[in-house]
Amino acid sequence: MGLTSVLSRYIGRQFLLWFTSLLLVLLGLILLIDTVELLRRAANRPHVTLDLVLQMALLKLPGIAQQLLPFAVLFSAMFTFWKLTRSQELVVARAIGVSVWRFSAPVLAGAALIGLISFTVLNPIGSTLVARYQKMEDKYLRGNAKGMEISRSGLWLRQQADNRQFLFHAGQVVLPRNELRRAMILVFDADGAYVGRFDAPVVRLDKGRWRLRNAWYNEPDRSPTLYKLYDIPTDFRLEQIEDHFAPPQTISFWKLPRFIRTLEETGFSAIRHRLHWQSLMAQPFIFCAMVLFAAAFSLRLPRRGGTLLMISAGIATGFALFVATDVILTIGMTEAIPVSMAAWTPAVISLLFASTILLHSEDG
């Protein structure tokens, strides 16, 4: 086994060790803060116990972990390079002809591996747990009795009105006209017992009511009744319905393509979900850019007495990249630029910029 191979394995282990330690510390702090916040929100709800609050905080944690990963990669890479430089280990490596790109390679490989695991393994687990958290939050903290779901068969929507429960199904949604088409509405009493069913070609959402036209109403053991007009009160808004559909963060990376097709076939926009799906695939490149930034900031600073500058530069870089990514994704949401451009631009620009800084600092 060659010297450079041994050095690469050593640096890679150091990076993964510091990354794991930092991520666990950050998650512990976030868990504590979230638990306190959930306890505050549950203060006026006696039925929400401490066990329930802890369960909700733990369910939320994997989703937060995905947001913390870029910062954990940046700071753990910075600390790894800084520590190895301060202990003169990288000074010796440079003396025997190992370039900055050579001893950065294992950290880049580790960051790319973390990014790959993030969207292929952590994202599916986290999305499932976050979806459960949101259902528990709606049930226990918000008291929200409404629910909706979209599947390959169309839109499913549930609401309560007039001491009855209504379960809507629509084969198609026409957003410009605020209409549900090929609609079936199952009616249940307050105890959940089946009462009857409406079948309507069109249901229109209009000024706080669902307006059914030419709807047939079927009750058990009775002849069908035709209603030319029938209104069901509601406080739904169509924008609320569209926004409430499973947020991208609650859907597994592997299930997103099919969900996107279903959304578009049903008549809803899938721009958020397309952006999220492609942004997940860009994560390994973002993480590699973080490593290059870390190398540029931390490799030469100890002999210049710039530890505080290194930390400040890292915080500024992480914050700037976060803001820039958010702005570009927001522009992508408006469809002013293509989805693929909005999702991949932060990663490409970050890689180019970080590489330029490192080349300038190392090679002049």
Side-chain angles (χ1 to χ4, degrees), residues 256-285:
L256 265 172
R258 186 176 67 181
F259 188 84
I260 289 169
R261 288 195 300 270
T262 302
L263 269 179
E264 293 175 339
E265 289 170 0
T266 310
F268 286 95
S269 170
I271 187 73
R272 285 189 308 156
H273 299 78
R274 286 188 178 278
L275 267 174
H276 182 68
W277 187 63
Q278 295 208 29
S279 297
L280 288 174
M281 290 190 289
Q283 279 186 344
F285 300 94

Side-chain angles (χ1 to χ4, degrees), residues 81-220:
F81 288 133
W82 175 78
K83 185 173 181 296
L84 292 174
T85 302
R86 188 173 184 181
S87 63
Q88 306 298 314
E89 291 168 286
L90 291 187
V91 174
V92 174
R94 287 172 183 267
I96 62 174
V98 180
S99 69
V100 63
W101 305 101
R102 196 70 170 269
F103 56 71
S104 295
V107 184
L108 286 168
L113 179 62
I114 291 169
L116 187 64
I117 293 174
S118 172
F119 74 81
T120 58
V121 179
L122 181 60
N123 173 264
I125 296 172
S127 60
T128 302
L129 297 181
V130 169
R132 288 180 58 188
Y133 164 79
Q134 290 188 349
K135 289 181 180 178
M136 294 177 69
E137 183 183 35
D138 286 342
K139 180 178 180 181
Y140 295 111
L141 298 181
R142 294 179 178 172
N144 190 353
K146 296 174 288 189
M148 42 195 111
E149 179 183 351
I150 190 163
S151 66
R152 299 185 68 180
S153 62
L155 167 73
W156 288 93
L157 183 150
R158 175 173 54 86
Q159 75 159 66
Q160 294 181 353
D162 297 335
N163 294 321
R164 293 188 296 174
Q165 300 179 42
F166 297 89
L167 181 62
F168 290 69
H169 174 265
Q172 185 181 17
V173 181
V174 183
L175 288 175
R177 299 177 60 86
N178 292 356
E179 289 180 353
L180 309 180
R181 294 183 178 175
R182 304 193 305 277
M184 175 188 70
I185 304 171
L186 302 178
V187 185
F188 303 87
D189 63 20
D191 297 324
Y194 175 74
V195 175
R197 186 187 80 191
F198 287 99
D199 292 284
V202 175
V203 177
R204 185 177 179 85
L205 182 59
D206 182 30
K207 296 179 181 178
R209 64 190 175 188
W210 294 106
R211 170 150 285 186
L212 287 63
R213 295 182 181 274
N214 299 318
W216 287 95
Y217 182 62
N218 295 275
E219 293 181 278

Side-chain angles (χ1 to χ4, degrees), residues 283-299:
Q283 279 186 344
F285 300 94
I286 289 282
F287 293 176
C288 287
M290 291 296 189
V291 171
L292 295 178
F293 277 122
F297 293 144
S298 56
L299 284 175

Side-chain angles (χ1 to χ4, degrees), residues 217-260:
Y217 182 62
N218 295 275
E219 293 181 278
D221 303 322
R222 291 189 180 181
S223 300
T225 304
L226 177 63
Y227 288 91
K228 294 292 185 182
L229 285 176
Y230 189 90
D231 292 339
I232 300 174
T234 184
D235 58 354
F236 273 121
R237 299 185 308 276
L238 206 59
E239 313 86 66
Q240 174 191 16
I241 293 173
E242 185 176 12
D243 291 342
H244 196 83
F245 281 133
Q249 294 79 10
T250 64
I251 305 173
S252 165
F253 169 81
W254 303 107
K255 295 179 180 179
L256 265 172
R258 186 176 67 181
F259 188 84
I260 289 169

Side-chain angles (χ1 to χ4, degrees), residues 19-39:
F19 169 79
T20 304
S21 302
L22 178 60
L23 185 62
L24 289 176
V25 170
L26 291 175
L27 288 178
L29 291 174
I30 294 295
L31 179 62
L32 178 62
I33 294 170
D34 263 353
T35 301
V36 172
E37 174 62 17
L38 289 171
L39 284 171

